[in-house]
Amino acid sequence: IAGLARLRAGDPETARGHLQEACFLARRQAQNVLETDGLLLLAEAYLDVRDEERALLALRRVRQIAESTGDAELLARVRLLLAERELLRSEGDLVAAADDADAAAHTLLERERTIELWRVYAAAGSAAQRLGQTERSRRSSQEASRWLAALLSATPEADRARLRNDRRALPFLS
């Protein structure tokens, strides 16, 4: 919980320490759900400080667990972070980012995971824009805005400021 709180407060460095310890303890206790949740947050913290390689290591471990358990939603969350990772890299694979975002969107849409959907469409729109796919970028950006608005309307007022200050959300707020 401390790692999540520090990550959401914009302190990924401190979050990493808490999350690494939580992942270690979860793995030692064979708690796959806790480990995967921690690893996803750890990957997010690594991406926030632009440590793409460590993020990739965490995501590979989660992907391995998701594939072995057949957890489609977990795999979609991994693919979202993989897409965001590729978009952060100066030499990122934009086609892979778009493919990962599209696959994640399909699964998360089926499960109505509003909290991740706006990020998936934002990643898809960014990849499409950088690939020169103007219409696809426009559609994805509209979807990101729509899902972000839905998330904001369902979020308690006290938590909205954090979401409004998320660097990924800024282009989609009107």
Side-chain angles (χ1 to χ4, degrees):
I1 293 174
L4 175 61
R6 295 310 325 146
L7 185 61
R8 297 300 179 241
D11 184 7
E13 289 291 339
T14 304
R16 281 186 353 195
H18 292 298
L19 292 167
Q20 286 170 335
E21 181 68 17
C23 290
F24 170 76
L25 292 172
R27 179 179 269 185
R28 199 166 85 187
Q29 297 297 318
Q31 296 292 321
N32 280 348
V33 172
L34 293 175
E35 182 184 6
T36 56
D37 284 348
L39 286 169
L40 285 172
L41 291 169
L42 187 57
E44 208 173 307
Y46 284 135
L47 289 175
D48 282 352
V49 296
R50 296 207 174 280
D51 190 342
E52 292 93 5
E53 292 311 309
R54 285 192 176 158
L56 183 59
L57 290 174
L59 292 171
R60 283 182 179 155
R61 172 70 179 138
V62 178
R63 183 178 223 156
Q64 178 185 40
I65 293 169
E67 289 173 347
S68 71
T69 61
D71 190 332
E73 186 174 321
L74 182 58
L75 187 56
R77 293 170 65 200
V78 169
R79 293 191 81 172
L80 164 60
L81 287 170
L82 287 170
E84 289 179 342
R85 176 187 176 269
E86 288 302 322
L87 292 168
L88 285 174
R89 299 175 64 223
S90 58
E91 300 292 322
D93 184 341
L94 300 177
V95 173
D99 289 346
D100 280 333
D102 287 345
H106 179 74
T107 301
L108 296 171
L109 193 56
E110 284 178 350
R111 288 162 175 77
E112 298 181 11
R113 293 286 303 187
T114 308
I115 197 162
E116 283 109 356
L117 275 168
W118 76 268
R119 287 176 52 196
V120 167
Y121 284 112
S126 181
Q129 180 183 30
R130 289 170 57 186
L131 287 167
Q133 299 170 347
T134 309
E135 182 57 26
R136 183 177 177 192
S137 174
R138 185 189 63 74
R139 282 192 318 269
S140 293
S141 294
Q142 285 177 333
E143 284 297 303
S145 295
R146 184 172 75 86
W147 284 105
L148 182 57
L151 180 59
L152 280 168
S153 71
T155 302
E157 185 60 42
D159 298 327
R160 288 184 193 164
R162 181 190 55 78
L163 189 54
R164 285 189 186 108
N165 291 326
D166 187 320
R167 65 173 165 68
R168 298 166 299 196
L170 294 177
F172 305 101
L173 297 170
S174 43

